[in-house]
Structures are given as structure tokens and as C-alpha cells.
Amino acid sequence: MTDAKNNIDVEAAIEELMAEQNEASQGAPEPTDIEAVEEVEQLRAERDDMRDRFMRALADAENSRKRGERDRREAEQYGGSKLARDMLPVFDNMKRAMETISEEQREASKALIEGIELTMRELLNIFEKHGIRIVSPEVGDKFDPEYHQAMFEAPLPGTKSGDIIQVTAEGFMLHDRLLRPAQVGVSSTPK
């Protein structure tokens, strides 16, 4: 609504300026000497200069508005990236804790384990709510330096060079930006 009103105001101002210029040029007496002709030319040049300045000022204002809107959107989407990055070790530690629980421990401490699982689910829900998603490559996937960080290389029979042979930690994306690459081991088996 505001953009439409601003565009209408700009168009109205331009039309008003053009109408004034037309009236001024129609009502002007015919110049009779060289001084009058030079004065008219000077006034036209000044008018053209003012019109150019006006149009540039309008363009600058529109560009500033668009830049401000883009900056606001980016701040909204990516402003919490430092906090999100600081929360990733919490996810890693909880995941490791969940992976080390044996069946005996699960039976002996059922309520405690259930609490840890609920906390982990809530953490994942909060990640999802704020646009954080897990980058979880599988063993056998092709190494992609855009999303993966090679922690080691090792020759492994039955694999091709560049294949992921182990995932040591998942990566994370914040909307369309990489928050942390997935940490992987990569095959160096020659072709």
C-alpha cells in the first residue's frame, strides 16, 4: 500500500513539474534580442539539471528503501546465527549420549532416558522453527566441499575416490546458508 502511494506521489509530482514547465514555455513572450534567448536557454538548462537531480534523488530513495528492506529480512533470518552455532555442540553431546545408552541402562533409568529423548526432540523442534536443518550425508555419498568438511582421507577397498566412508558429525544449514559443514571421512582409493 505504501509503495503504491509513493509511486502515485512521485508520478503526480513529475506530472505537476511537467505541466508547470509547459505553462512557462507557452506563456513566454517571443525573445527579441540575444540576451533574452540566452536567458531562456540558461533557464532551460537549469530546468533540465533540476529534473535530472530530482530523478536521481527519487532513484536513490527507492534504492535505499529496497536495501533497508533486504537488510531487515537478512537480520531477521540470520541474526541468530551465532547463537545457533553455539547450540550445535549441545546437539552433538546429546546425540552422543543417546547413542551410548545400552538396553540395560534404558530399563534401569527409563524416566531419565525419556527426559533426555524429550529434550532432544524439543531441541530439534526449535531448530526447525528457526530454519535450522541437519545436513546428514550417508556413507557412500559423494563428497561435496560446499556441505562437507573432510576430516581424514583413507584408502578403502570397494569405494571410489571421493566417496564418503564415515560421518563423524552432521552439518547444519540456517535457511540457505551453511552454519556448519558435515564432518566426514573420504576415500582416497585410486581409480
Side-chain angles (χ1 to χ4, degrees):
M1 178 89 182
T2 305
D3 290 340
K5 182 179 179 194
N6 288 341
N7 288 341
I8 291 170
D9 291 344
V10 169
E11 291 173 7
I14 291 172
E15 288 177 16
E16 185 177 315
L17 183 62
M18 297 295 282
E20 287 175 8
Q21 290 172 357
N22 286 339
E23 287 176 15
S25 64
Q26 289 175 357
E30 287 294 317
T32 55
D33 61 350
I34 295 175
E35 288 178 7
V37 170
E38 287 176 355
E39 185 178 342
V40 168
E41 290 301 318
Q42 183 182 4
L43 289 172
R44 283 185 181 147
E46 189 176 318
R47 175 199 65 191
D48 292 344
D49 182 53
M50 292 294 183
R51 181 186 300 151
D52 185 53
R53 286 182 181 182
F54 177 72
M55 296 305 284
R56 288 178 191 270
L58 285 176
D60 285 345
E62 181 65 17
N63 288 340
S64 293
R65 185 192 64 76
K66 287 178 182 176
R67 188 173 31 257
E69 179 64 24
R70 185 189 68 230
D71 290 348
R72 183 196 62 76
R73 275 193 317 271
E74 282 191 5
E76 189 176 283
Q77 283 189 331
Y78 304 112
S81 62
K82 186 171 187 211
L83 175 64
R85 199 171 286 114
D86 290 344
M87 292 296 295
L88 299 182
V90 174
F91 170 83
D92 293 336
N93 290 333
M94 290 190 68
K95 184 172 182 194
R96 276 192 286 274
M98 299 282 295
E99 290 171 349
T100 60
I101 298 171
S102 67
E103 282 304 315
E104 292 174 358
Q105 291 170 328
R106 190 171 293 277
E107 289 300 319
S109 303
K110 192 171 186 169
L112 176 65
I113 305 302
E114 188 176 311
I116 294 171
E117 289 172 341
L118 288 171
T119 304
M120 182 66 148
R121 273 196 298 261
E122 185 62 25
L123 181 62
L124 289 173
N125 287 338
I126 289 170
F127 280 0
E128 185 178 329
K129 176 181 174 185
H130 292 282
I132 301 170
R133 59 187 168 83
I134 298 174
V135 175
S136 185
E138 298 289 324
V139 171
D141 288 351
K142 197 75 176 153
F143 175 76
D144 182 354
E146 295 277 326
Y147 301 103
H148 308 142
Q149 178 181 7
M151 301 307 290
F152 66 89
E153 274 190 319
L156 185 67
T159 62
K160 294 181 242 163
S161 181
D163 284 352
I164 294 174
I165 56 175
Q166 182 180 358
V167 178
T168 57
E170 281 119 346
F172 292 87
M173 298 286 292
L174 177 59
H175 299 289
D176 59 346
R177 290 186 184 170
L178 187 65
L179 200 55
R180 180 180 83 184
Q183 299 172 350
V184 298
V186 181
S187 174
S188 63
T189 304
K191 292 182 181 177

